[in-house]
Amino acid sequence: MSLKNSPLQQFSVRAGVIVTTIAAAVIGFAGSAGAVPGDPVVQFTPTLTRVPGNCAAIINAETVPQPQSGTFGVRVKITQSGQNCSPYFVGVSWKNLDSGATNGQVHPVDANGVLQQAPDGVITGFGTAPGTGKVEAWLVTYSEHYPQPKELEHLSGRATFTLR
């Protein structure tokens, strides 16, 4: 007997997401971001997403100060549940509310929910350099990024902070 698309399976996935959300909110991030006094360390609201396969994920994130002025990093912690999960992508998008500039950066996530190409789970690089000013950033999940981005169903986590 297959549970494919059954109400019991849908309830199980939803219940798992709710329990995982509560656990992630209670546990939070371990350790500090190593901030220099005055640098922004801001928590994103949680990102909830469906993952390819029969999976869901909660993505918690926080800004990580960088040594260069006008740049930021994002520490990502993914809590994934379900079966037959497939790889996907997590992107950080931003808009500098003072200058109007926008950009972002995308990184792959393996089938186990581990962020790839991001040492210590921190996304950095050219796509995280909005310059000084007030910045709004949000997380986006994709099933495929190239040649054309295909967003997964998700509720984006957001954060607003000021870079010096």
Side-chain angles (χ1 to χ4, degrees):
M1 178 171 132
S2 172
L3 291 177
K4 196 170 195 176
N5 294 325
S6 74
L8 179 60
Q9 183 182 23
Q10 291 172 357
F11 173 78
S12 296
V13 170
R14 288 183 185 131
V17 168
I18 290 169
V19 169
T20 307
T21 301
I22 293 168
V26 170
I27 294 170
F29 284 93
S32 73
V36 175
D39 286 346
V41 176
V42 178
Q43 299 288 321
F44 283 69
T45 57
T47 299
L48 306 174
T49 188
R50 285 192 181 191
V51 175
N54 185 24
C55 301
I58 299 168
I59 304 169
N60 287 299
E62 67 183 359
T63 60
V64 177
Q66 299 298 297
Q68 305 84 7
S69 177
T71 64
F72 69 102
V74 178
R75 183 182 319 280
V76 175
K77 182 177 180 186
I78 300 171
T79 305
Q80 186 170 289
S81 63
Q83 300 172 359
N84 303 317
C85 304
S86 295
Y88 57 102
F89 296 87
V90 170
V92 176
S93 298
W94 54 260
K95 179 176 184 173
N96 184 315
L97 300 175
D98 295 333
S99 71
T102 62
N103 201 342
Q105 190 155 328
V106 176
H107 284 266
V109 177
D110 71 16
N112 297 314
V114 177
L115 186 66
Q116 303 294 297
Q117 303 169 2
D120 299 323
V122 178
I123 296 173
T124 59
F126 179 74
T128 56
T132 59
K134 189 171 184 177
V135 175
E136 180 181 21
W138 59 96
L139 300 179
V140 182
T141 56
Y142 302 96
S143 62
E144 191 176 309
H145 191 256
Y146 294 106
Q148 196 62 266
K150 293 181 183 176
E151 287 189 21
L152 293 170
E153 285 185 81
H154 67 275
L155 297 172
S156 288
R158 295 183 172 270
T160 303
F161 47 92
T162 301
L163 293 175
R164 293 176 178 71

